[in-house]
Short mmCIF file of all heavy atoms in Angstrom, two decimals:
data_model
loop_
_atom_site.label_atom_id
_atom_site.label_comp_id
_atom_site.label_asym_id
_atom_site.label_seq_id
_atom_site.Cartn_x
_atom_site.Cartn_y
_atom_site.Cartn_z
N GLY X 127 -271.91 -13.35 -118.60
CA GLY X 127 -273.26 -13.41 -119.12
C GLY X 127 -274.18 -14.01 -118.07
O GLY X 127 -273.77 -14.24 -116.93
N VAL X 128 -275.42 -14.26 -118.46
CA VAL X 128 -276.39 -14.82 -117.51
C VAL X 128 -276.97 -16.13 -118.02
O VAL X 128 -277.90 -16.67 -117.42
CB VAL X 128 -277.53 -13.82 -117.22
CG1 VAL X 128 -276.96 -12.52 -116.69
CG2 VAL X 128 -278.39 -13.56 -118.45
N ASP X 129 -276.42 -16.66 -119.11
CA ASP X 129 -277.00 -17.84 -119.73
C ASP X 129 -276.33 -19.15 -119.32
O ASP X 129 -276.84 -20.22 -119.63
CB ASP X 129 -276.97 -17.70 -121.26
CG ASP X 129 -275.58 -17.45 -121.80
OD1 ASP X 129 -274.75 -16.89 -121.06
OD2 ASP X 129 -275.32 -17.80 -122.97
N ILE X 130 -275.17 -19.08 -118.60
CA ILE X 130 -274.50 -20.31 -118.17
C ILE X 130 -274.19 -20.20 -116.68
O ILE X 130 -273.05 -19.96 -116.27
CB ILE X 130 -273.20 -20.56 -118.97
CG1 ILE X 130 -273.46 -20.43 -120.47
CG2 ILE X 130 -272.66 -21.96 -118.67
CD1 ILE X 130 -272.21 -20.64 -121.32
N PRO X 131 -275.17 -20.33 -115.83
CA PRO X 131 -274.93 -20.18 -114.40
C PRO X 131 -274.10 -21.30 -113.80
O PRO X 131 -273.37 -21.09 -112.83
CB PRO X 131 -276.33 -20.16 -113.79
CG PRO X 131 -277.19 -20.86 -114.79
CD PRO X 131 -276.61 -20.54 -116.12
N GLN X 132 -274.19 -22.50 -114.36
CA GLN X 132 -273.45 -23.65 -113.85
C GLN X 132 -272.74 -24.34 -115.01
O GLN X 132 -273.22 -25.31 -115.58
CB GLN X 132 -274.40 -24.61 -113.13
CG GLN X 132 -275.04 -24.00 -111.89
CD GLN X 132 -276.02 -24.94 -111.22
OE1 GLN X 132 -277.10 -25.21 -111.73
NE2 GLN X 132 -275.63 -25.45 -110.06
N PRO X 133 -271.57 -23.83 -115.38
CA PRO X 133 -270.86 -24.34 -116.55
C PRO X 133 -270.47 -25.80 -116.39
O PRO X 133 -270.22 -26.29 -115.28
CB PRO X 133 -269.62 -23.46 -116.63
CG PRO X 133 -269.97 -22.23 -115.85
CD PRO X 133 -270.87 -22.70 -114.76
N SER X 134 -270.40 -26.49 -117.53
CA SER X 134 -269.98 -27.89 -117.53
C SER X 134 -268.47 -28.04 -117.56
O SER X 134 -267.95 -29.13 -117.34
CB SER X 134 -270.60 -28.60 -118.73
OG SER X 134 -270.22 -27.98 -119.94
N SER X 135 -267.74 -26.94 -117.85
CA SER X 135 -266.28 -27.01 -117.87
C SER X 135 -265.71 -25.68 -117.41
O SER X 135 -266.36 -24.63 -117.51
CB SER X 135 -265.78 -27.32 -119.29
OG SER X 135 -265.99 -26.22 -120.15
N ALA X 136 -264.45 -25.72 -116.95
CA ALA X 136 -263.79 -24.50 -116.48
C ALA X 136 -263.62 -23.49 -117.60
O ALA X 136 -263.56 -22.28 -117.36
CB ALA X 136 -262.43 -24.86 -115.88
N ALA X 137 -263.54 -23.95 -118.84
CA ALA X 137 -263.36 -23.05 -119.97
C ALA X 137 -264.54 -22.11 -120.16
O ALA X 137 -264.40 -21.05 -120.79
CB ALA X 137 -263.13 -23.85 -121.25
N GLN X 138 -265.70 -22.49 -119.62
CA GLN X 138 -266.88 -21.64 -119.76
C GLN X 138 -266.96 -20.55 -118.69
O GLN X 138 -267.81 -19.67 -118.78
CB GLN X 138 -268.14 -22.50 -119.71
CG GLN X 138 -268.29 -23.45 -120.88
CD GLN X 138 -269.52 -24.32 -120.74
OE1 GLN X 138 -269.66 -25.07 -119.76
NE2 GLN X 138 -270.43 -24.24 -121.70
N HIS X 139 -266.10 -20.61 -117.69
CA HIS X 139 -266.12 -19.61 -116.63
C HIS X 139 -265.56 -18.28 -117.14
O HIS X 139 -264.58 -18.25 -117.88
CB HIS X 139 -265.25 -20.05 -115.45
CG HIS X 139 -265.85 -21.16 -114.65
ND1 HIS X 139 -265.75 -21.23 -113.28
CD2 HIS X 139 -266.55 -22.27 -115.02
CE1 HIS X 139 -266.35 -22.32 -112.84
NE2 HIS X 139 -266.85 -22.97 -113.89
N THR X 140 -266.18 -17.20 -116.73
CA THR X 140 -265.59 -15.87 -116.91
C THR X 140 -264.86 -15.56 -115.62
O THR X 140 -265.48 -15.46 -114.56
CB THR X 140 -266.66 -14.82 -117.19
OG1 THR X 140 -267.39 -15.20 -118.37
CG2 THR X 140 -266.03 -13.45 -117.42
N SER X 141 -263.54 -15.42 -115.69
CA SER X 141 -262.77 -15.36 -114.44
C SER X 141 -261.50 -14.52 -114.60
O SER X 141 -261.00 -14.31 -115.72
CB SER X 141 -262.38 -16.78 -113.99
OG SER X 141 -261.52 -17.39 -114.92
N GLY X 142 -261.03 -14.03 -113.47
CA GLY X 142 -259.76 -13.31 -113.43
C GLY X 142 -259.74 -12.01 -114.20
O GLY X 142 -258.69 -11.58 -114.67
N ILE X 143 -260.89 -11.34 -114.32
CA ILE X 143 -260.96 -10.08 -115.04
C ILE X 143 -260.61 -8.93 -114.09
O ILE X 143 -261.07 -8.89 -112.95
CB ILE X 143 -262.37 -9.85 -115.62
CG1 ILE X 143 -262.85 -11.06 -116.42
CG2 ILE X 143 -262.40 -8.58 -116.46
CD1 ILE X 143 -262.06 -11.36 -117.65
N THR X 144 -259.81 -7.98 -114.58
CA THR X 144 -259.50 -6.78 -113.81
C THR X 144 -259.91 -5.55 -114.63
O THR X 144 -259.47 -5.38 -115.77
CB THR X 144 -258.01 -6.69 -113.48
OG1 THR X 144 -257.64 -7.82 -112.68
CG2 THR X 144 -257.71 -5.41 -112.71
N VAL X 145 -260.74 -4.71 -114.02
CA VAL X 145 -261.14 -3.44 -114.63
C VAL X 145 -260.68 -2.35 -113.68
O VAL X 145 -261.16 -2.26 -112.55
CB VAL X 145 -262.66 -3.37 -114.83
CG1 VAL X 145 -263.05 -2.03 -115.46
CG2 VAL X 145 -263.14 -4.54 -115.68
N LYS X 146 -259.75 -1.51 -114.12
CA LYS X 146 -259.16 -0.55 -113.18
C LYS X 146 -258.84 0.77 -113.84
O LYS X 146 -258.56 0.87 -115.03
CB LYS X 146 -257.89 -1.14 -112.56
CG LYS X 146 -256.75 -1.37 -113.55
CD LYS X 146 -255.56 -2.09 -112.90
CE LYS X 146 -254.87 -1.25 -111.86
NZ LYS X 146 -254.07 -0.16 -112.48
N ASP X 147 -258.93 1.82 -113.03
CA ASP X 147 -258.46 3.15 -113.39
C ASP X 147 -259.04 3.64 -114.71
O ASP X 147 -258.36 4.28 -115.50
CB ASP X 147 -256.93 3.17 -113.43
CG ASP X 147 -256.33 2.97 -112.05
OD1 ASP X 147 -256.47 3.88 -111.21
OD2 ASP X 147 -255.75 1.91 -111.79
N SER X 148 -260.31 3.33 -114.94
CA SER X 148 -260.98 3.75 -116.16
C SER X 148 -262.11 4.72 -115.84
O SER X 148 -262.61 4.76 -114.71
CB SER X 148 -261.52 2.52 -116.91
OG SER X 148 -260.46 1.71 -117.37
N HIS X 149 -262.51 5.48 -116.84
CA HIS X 149 -263.53 6.52 -116.66
C HIS X 149 -264.76 6.18 -117.48
O HIS X 149 -264.68 6.02 -118.71
CB HIS X 149 -262.97 7.88 -117.08
CG HIS X 149 -263.85 9.03 -116.73
ND1 HIS X 149 -263.73 10.27 -117.31
CD2 HIS X 149 -264.88 9.14 -115.83
CE1 HIS X 149 -264.63 11.09 -116.79
NE2 HIS X 149 -265.35 10.42 -115.90
N PHE X 150 -265.89 6.08 -116.81
CA PHE X 150 -267.17 5.81 -117.43
C PHE X 150 -268.09 7.00 -117.18
O PHE X 150 -268.35 7.35 -116.02
CB PHE X 150 -267.82 4.56 -116.82
CG PHE X 150 -267.03 3.28 -116.98
CD1 PHE X 150 -265.91 3.03 -116.18
CD2 PHE X 150 -267.41 2.34 -117.92
CE1 PHE X 150 -265.20 1.85 -116.33
CE2 PHE X 150 -266.70 1.15 -118.06
CZ PHE X 150 -265.59 0.91 -117.26
N TYR X 151 -268.57 7.63 -118.24
CA TYR X 151 -269.50 8.74 -118.05
C TYR X 151 -270.37 8.87 -119.30
O TYR X 151 -269.99 8.48 -120.40
CB TYR X 151 -268.78 10.05 -117.75
CG TYR X 151 -267.94 10.62 -118.88
CD1 TYR X 151 -268.41 11.70 -119.65
CD2 TYR X 151 -266.68 10.12 -119.19
CE1 TYR X 151 -267.65 12.23 -120.67
CE2 TYR X 151 -265.92 10.65 -120.20
CZ TYR X 151 -266.40 11.71 -120.95
OH TYR X 151 -265.66 12.23 -121.99
N ASP X 152 -271.56 9.42 -119.11
CA ASP X 152 -272.51 9.57 -120.21
C ASP X 152 -272.67 8.28 -120.99
O ASP X 152 -272.65 8.26 -122.22
CB ASP X 152 -272.07 10.71 -121.14
CG ASP X 152 -272.15 12.07 -120.49
OD1 ASP X 152 -272.94 12.22 -119.53
OD2 ASP X 152 -271.42 12.99 -120.90
N THR X 153 -272.85 7.18 -120.26
CA THR X 153 -273.23 5.93 -120.91
C THR X 153 -274.74 5.76 -120.77
O THR X 153 -275.40 6.53 -120.09
CB THR X 153 -272.51 4.73 -120.27
OG1 THR X 153 -272.81 4.70 -118.86
CG2 THR X 153 -270.99 4.84 -120.45
N ALA X 154 -275.28 4.74 -121.43
CA ALA X 154 -276.72 4.51 -121.47
C ALA X 154 -277.47 5.77 -121.89
O ALA X 154 -278.48 6.15 -121.31
CB ALA X 154 -277.23 3.99 -120.13
N THR X 155 -276.96 6.41 -122.93
CA THR X 155 -277.54 7.69 -123.36
C THR X 155 -278.88 7.52 -124.07
O THR X 155 -279.67 8.47 -124.14
CB THR X 155 -276.57 8.42 -124.30
OG1 THR X 155 -276.27 7.58 -125.42
CG2 THR X 155 -275.28 8.77 -123.58
N GLU X 156 -279.14 6.33 -124.62
CA GLU X 156 -280.44 6.08 -125.27
C GLU X 156 -281.24 5.00 -124.54
O GLU X 156 -282.44 5.15 -124.35
CB GLU X 156 -280.22 5.68 -126.72
CG GLU X 156 -279.70 6.81 -127.59
CD GLU X 156 -279.54 6.39 -129.03
OE1 GLU X 156 -278.56 5.67 -129.34
OE2 GLU X 156 -280.41 6.78 -129.85
N TYR X 157 -280.59 3.93 -124.15
CA TYR X 157 -281.25 2.85 -123.43
C TYR X 157 -280.94 3.05 -121.95
O TYR X 157 -279.96 2.53 -121.42
CB TYR X 157 -280.77 1.49 -123.95
CG TYR X 157 -281.02 1.35 -125.44
CD1 TYR X 157 -280.01 1.62 -126.35
CD2 TYR X 157 -282.28 0.98 -125.92
CE1 TYR X 157 -280.25 1.52 -127.72
CE2 TYR X 157 -282.52 0.88 -127.28
CZ TYR X 157 -281.50 1.15 -128.17
OH TYR X 157 -281.74 1.05 -129.53
N HIS X 158 -281.78 3.85 -121.29
CA HIS X 158 -281.43 4.39 -119.98
C HIS X 158 -281.39 3.34 -118.88
O HIS X 158 -280.89 3.60 -117.79
CB HIS X 158 -282.40 5.51 -119.61
CG HIS X 158 -282.38 6.67 -120.56
ND1 HIS X 158 -281.20 7.25 -121.00
CD2 HIS X 158 -283.38 7.35 -121.17
CE1 HIS X 158 -281.49 8.25 -121.83
NE2 HIS X 158 -282.80 8.33 -121.95
N GLY X 159 -281.93 2.15 -119.14
CA GLY X 159 -281.80 1.07 -118.18
C GLY X 159 -280.43 0.43 -118.19
O GLY X 159 -280.15 -0.46 -117.38
N GLY X 160 -279.56 0.88 -119.06
CA GLY X 160 -278.19 0.38 -119.11
C GLY X 160 -277.37 0.89 -117.94
O GLY X 160 -277.72 1.85 -117.26
N VAL X 161 -276.26 0.22 -117.70
CA VAL X 161 -275.37 0.57 -116.58
C VAL X 161 -273.95 0.76 -117.10
O VAL X 161 -273.60 0.29 -118.19
CB VAL X 161 -275.40 -0.53 -115.50
CG1 VAL X 161 -276.80 -0.71 -114.95
CG2 VAL X 161 -274.88 -1.86 -116.03
N ALA X 162 -273.13 1.44 -116.33
CA ALA X 162 -271.76 1.69 -116.77
C ALA X 162 -270.97 0.39 -116.86
O ALA X 162 -270.32 0.10 -117.86
CB ALA X 162 -271.08 2.67 -115.82
N ILE X 163 -271.02 -0.42 -115.79
CA ILE X 163 -270.35 -1.73 -115.77
C ILE X 163 -271.37 -2.77 -115.36
O ILE X 163 -271.94 -2.69 -114.28
CB ILE X 163 -269.16 -1.75 -114.79
CG1 ILE X 163 -268.13 -0.67 -115.15
CG2 ILE X 163 -268.50 -3.13 -114.80
CD1 ILE X 163 -267.00 -0.55 -114.14
N ASP X 164 -271.57 -3.75 -116.22
CA ASP X 164 -272.52 -4.82 -115.93
C ASP X 164 -271.78 -6.15 -115.90
O ASP X 164 -271.09 -6.51 -116.85
CB ASP X 164 -273.61 -4.87 -117.00
CG ASP X 164 -274.55 -6.06 -116.78
OD1 ASP X 164 -275.25 -6.05 -115.76
OD2 ASP X 164 -274.55 -6.98 -117.62
N ALA X 165 -271.90 -6.89 -114.81
CA ALA X 165 -271.27 -8.19 -114.68
C ALA X 165 -272.33 -9.23 -114.34
O ALA X 165 -273.10 -9.05 -113.39
CB ALA X 165 -270.20 -8.17 -113.60
N GLY X 166 -272.38 -10.31 -115.10
CA GLY X 166 -273.29 -11.41 -114.81
C GLY X 166 -272.61 -12.41 -113.90
O GLY X 166 -272.15 -12.08 -112.81
N TYR X 167 -272.52 -13.65 -114.34
CA TYR X 167 -271.82 -14.67 -113.57
C TYR X 167 -270.33 -14.57 -113.87
O TYR X 167 -269.89 -14.85 -115.00
CB TYR X 167 -272.35 -16.06 -113.92
CG TYR X 167 -273.83 -16.22 -113.67
CD1 TYR X 167 -274.68 -16.67 -114.68
CD2 TYR X 167 -274.38 -15.93 -112.43
CE1 TYR X 167 -276.04 -16.83 -114.44
CE2 TYR X 167 -275.74 -16.09 -112.18
CZ TYR X 167 -276.55 -16.53 -113.20
OH TYR X 167 -277.91 -16.68 -112.97
N ILE X 168 -269.54 -14.16 -112.88
CA ILE X 168 -268.10 -14.07 -113.02
C ILE X 168 -267.45 -14.51 -111.71
O ILE X 168 -268.12 -14.63 -110.68
CB ILE X 168 -267.63 -12.65 -113.39
CG1 ILE X 168 -267.94 -11.66 -112.26
CG2 ILE X 168 -268.24 -12.18 -114.70
CD1 ILE X 168 -267.35 -10.27 -112.48
N GLU X 169 -266.14 -14.74 -111.76
CA GLU X 169 -265.44 -15.15 -110.55
C GLU X 169 -264.04 -14.53 -110.51
O GLU X 169 -263.49 -14.13 -111.54
CB GLU X 169 -265.33 -16.67 -110.47
CG GLU X 169 -264.49 -17.29 -111.56
CD GLU X 169 -264.41 -18.81 -111.48
OE1 GLU X 169 -265.00 -19.40 -110.56
OE2 GLU X 169 -263.73 -19.40 -112.35
N THR X 170 -263.49 -14.44 -109.31
CA THR X 170 -262.13 -13.96 -109.03
C THR X 170 -261.79 -12.72 -109.86
O THR X 170 -260.72 -12.61 -110.43
CB THR X 170 -261.09 -15.07 -109.28
OG1 THR X 170 -261.16 -15.50 -110.66
CG2 THR X 170 -261.33 -16.26 -108.36
N SER X 171 -262.71 -11.78 -109.91
CA SER X 171 -262.54 -10.58 -110.72
C SER X 171 -262.61 -9.34 -109.85
O SER X 171 -263.21 -9.34 -108.77
CB SER X 171 -263.60 -10.53 -111.82
OG SER X 171 -263.43 -11.60 -112.73
N THR X 172 -261.98 -8.27 -110.33
CA THR X 172 -261.85 -7.05 -109.55
C THR X 172 -262.22 -5.84 -110.39
O THR X 172 -261.74 -5.67 -111.52
CB THR X 172 -260.40 -6.88 -109.05
OG1 THR X 172 -260.04 -8.02 -108.26
CG2 THR X 172 -260.25 -5.63 -108.21
N ILE X 173 -263.08 -4.98 -109.83
CA ILE X 173 -263.45 -3.70 -110.43
C ILE X 173 -262.98 -2.64 -109.45
O ILE X 173 -263.56 -2.47 -108.37
CB ILE X 173 -264.96 -3.62 -110.67
CG1 ILE X 173 -265.41 -4.74 -111.63
CG2 ILE X 173 -265.36 -2.26 -111.22
CD1 ILE X 173 -266.92 -4.89 -111.73
#
Side-chain angles (χ1 to χ4, degrees):
V128 303
D129 56 333
I130 311 179
Q132 296 178 289
S134 58
S135 70
Q138 294 177 301
H139 288 218
T140 302
S141 64
I143 309 295
T144 299
V145 180
K146 65 186 293 287
D147 293 291
S148 294
H149 189 198
F150 299 77
Y151 67 103
D152 292 336
T153 57
T155 57
E156 292 182 284
Y157 303 96
H158 299 313
V161 300
I163 302 174
D164 175 66
Y167 301 126
I168 64 173
E169 65 181 0
T170 60
S171 295
T172 301
I173 299 170

